[in-house]
Amino acid sequence: MHPFPLISQSPSSFVVKKKMVGLFRLVSGCPGPSGFGSASTAQEVTEGIDGTNLTALVTGGASGIGLETSRVLALRGVHVIIGARNMKAANEAKNKIVRENPRARIDVLELDLCSTNSIRSFADNFIALHLPLNILINNAGIMFCPFQLSQDGLEVQFATNHIGHFLLTNLLLDTMKNTVKATGIQGRVVNLSSIAHNYCYKKGIRFHKINDKQGYSEKRAYGQSKLANILHANELSRRLQEEGVNITVNSVHPGLIMTPLFRHSAAVMKLLKFFSFFLWKNVPQGAATTCYVALHPRLNGVTGKYFADCNEMRPSSYARNESLARELWEFSNKLISSVSVP
C-alpha cells in the first residue's frame, strides 16, 4: 500500500497547481527541469557552447533584448546579422558589440517589418550575400500602440509582430533548408511571443476585423499578435516535420522587461513595475530564453513548443489550436498577396 492516501486531482486543479509552481519559480528564480530559471542570464545558459560554424539573423537586434541576444550569440562565435529599421542605431549596436568583443562577427541590414516591400528587399539583400542561415530569431516587435495602419494598410501591431515575420520567414526558408542540406546542422527558428498571448480578442484572432478601428483594444491587439507568433511557429513546425526537414520552430516568452517596447505606455508600465517589481527581469535575463532555445544542444529535435524562463511551458488553449493555426496560415498568405506585388 501507498504510505499516504492518494488524493485524485481534477484537470483544473492540476493546471492551477502547475501555474502556482511556475509563479514560484518566476519569483524565486529557482531553476526548472532545464537547470535554468527566471534569474538565469543569456551568457549563463550558453556557457561553453561553440557557435563558430553558425550564422544567425536577429530582427530588432539593435536594442533591448535583441541587442543582448546578438551580443551573446556573437560572444559564442556565431556570425550575427542584425535586421533593423534604424540603421544608425544598428551600426552603433554593432560597434558596441565589437568594442567589447573584437572577434565578433556582426553585420547589419535595413529591415522595416511594417512594410512588405522592405521585407522583400531585405530578403533579396541577405540572399545576395550568399551566407548560410542556421538560426532565424524573429525578435522585433511593437507594443500597445494606438490604432494605426501600416504602409500596407494593415493594423500596425499585427502587421509588424506577425505578418512581417511570417513573410520574412517564408522568404528565407529555402536558404535555411539549403544550409541544412549543405552542412548537416539542424536549423532553428525562434519566434518571440509573450505571456500576453493569453489576453487577446474573443476567438483569438479577429480574422474579419483585423483592420477595423471599431472595437480595437491596443492591449488585446498586442495579445492577438503574440498569439499569432505561437500559432505561426506551431504550424510551420508541423509543415517542416511533414516534409522531413531538419529545422525546429519554437516560440518563447522572454519575461517582463522594461525596454523601448513600452514607449507607448511608459508611465503606466513604470507604475505597474513599482507594484510588481518581483516579477520583472533585467535585459540579460530577458534574453536568456531566446538564446537557450536558439543555441542549446539540449533542444536538438525539440520543435513546436513554447518556452518561458528557459523551460517548456503550456500556452493557452487558443495557442494549442491546430485548426486555428492552419486558418491563420492561409489568412496570412492571402493578406500578403492582397497588399504586395512579388
Side-chain angles (χ1 to χ4, degrees):
M1 289 183 61
H2 198 280
F4 300 100
L6 298 177
I7 302 174
S8 62
Q9 286 186 313
S10 67
S12 60
S13 66
F14 178 73
V15 170
V16 170
K17 185 177 180 181
K18 285 195 71 175
K19 287 183 176 179
M20 291 301 292
V21 170
L23 180 60
F24 171 76
R25 285 180 180 156
L26 172 62
V27 174
S28 67
C30 181
S34 70
F36 304 114
S38 61
S40 301
T41 67
Q43 282 194 211
E44 290 170 349
V45 304
T46 59
E47 186 68 38
I49 297 176
D50 181 7
T52 53
N53 58 344
L54 302 174
T55 300
L57 167 59
V58 182
T59 68
S63 64
I65 59 176
L67 172 56
E68 178 67 2
T69 298
S70 300
R71 184 189 73 82
V72 171
L73 291 182
L75 186 65
R76 303 307 175 212
V78 179
H79 181 187
V80 179
I81 314 299
I82 293 175
R85 181 173 55 183
N86 185 332
M87 289 299 289
K88 181 176 182 292
N91 280 299
E92 288 174 354
K94 174 184 175 178
N95 293 336
K96 179 180 179 181
I97 293 171
V98 172
R99 280 197 303 270
E100 178 188 316
N101 175 18
R103 288 186 286 185
R105 294 178 294 161
I106 303 282
D107 288 296
V108 299
L109 289 174
E110 186 173 4
L111 171 64
D112 183 356
L113 286 161
C114 204
S115 163
T116 54
N117 286 335
S118 174
I119 296 164
R120 292 184 186 279
S121 294
F122 173 89
D124 288 343
N125 291 335
F126 178 83
I127 292 169
L129 295 175
H130 301 292
L131 291 172
L133 182 57
N134 305 96
I135 303 167
L136 172 59
I137 300 179
N138 291 319
N139 165 84
I142 56 176
M143 185 179 191
F144 298 166
C145 303
F147 180 83
Q148 57 184 301
L149 299 179
S150 71
Q151 295 178 31
D152 299 305
L154 305 177
E155 189 277 307
V156 72
Q157 293 193 84
F158 191 77
T160 304
N161 297 348
H162 168 62
I163 290 295
H165 284 124
F166 179 86
L167 175 59
L168 178 67
T169 303
N170 283 352
L171 293 174
L172 296 178
L173 204 53
D174 281 344
T175 301
M176 293 197 75
K177 290 178 180 179
N178 291 337
T179 300
V180 170
K181 288 179 182 178
T183 64
I185 300 172
Q186 181 181 85
R188 297 189 184 187
V189 178
V190 183
N191 279 3
L192 262 75
S193 180
S194 168
I195 196 172
H197 80 272
N198 288 278
Y199 187 74
C200 56
Y201 292 111
K202 187 177 180 181
K203 298 184 179 180
I205 309 287
R206 298 205 310 174
F207 288 112
H208 304 296
K209 296 182 178 180
I210 285 294
N211 301 328
D212 193 346
K213 186 174 183 179
Q214 186 175 4
Y216 175 81
S217 161
E218 60 190 30
K219 294 177 179 60
R220 290 191 185 276
Y222 177 71
Q224 172 182 250
S225 70
K226 295 291 100 180
L227 170 62
N229 292 149
I230 302 177
L231 294 172
H232 169 219
N234 292 350
E235 178 62 9
L236 179 56
S237 172
R238 185 188 70 80
R239 288 169 178 256
L240 291 173
Q241 285 181 289
E242 279 191 354
E243 289 182 43
V245 177
N246 191 21
I247 298 174
T248 63
V249 193
N250 294 292
S251 48
V252 305
H253 164 54
L256 291 172
I257 310 106
M258 188 63 74
T259 73
L261 266 183
F262 290 112
R263 59 185 172 271
H264 292 289
S265 53
V268 173
M269 298 313 296
K270 285 178 180 177
L271 181 64
L272 174 62
K273 185 176 181 181
F274 177 80
F275 288 105
S276 59
F277 63 92
F278 52 87
L279 298 177
W280 290 71
K281 297 181 179 183
N282 57 38
V283 169
Q285 292 169 338
T289 305
T290 301
C291 290
Y292 174 72
V293 174
L295 212 56
H296 206 286
R298 186 180 294 138
L299 295 187
N300 283 340
V302 176
T303 188
K305 305 299 182 181
Y306 171 72
F307 291 83
D309 300 331
C310 301
N311 288 276
E312 184 182 334
M313 298 291 181
R314 184 178 173 89
S316 72
S317 57
Y318 283 141
R320 304 192 308 272
N321 189 319
E322 293 182 3
S323 62
L324 186 61
R326 291 188 180 94
E327 185 177 3
L328 175 65
W329 187 280
E330 298 304 323
F331 175 80
S332 300
N333 275 327
K334 290 178 181 177
L335 204 59
I336 290 167
S337 296
S338 71
V339 300
S340 61
V341 179

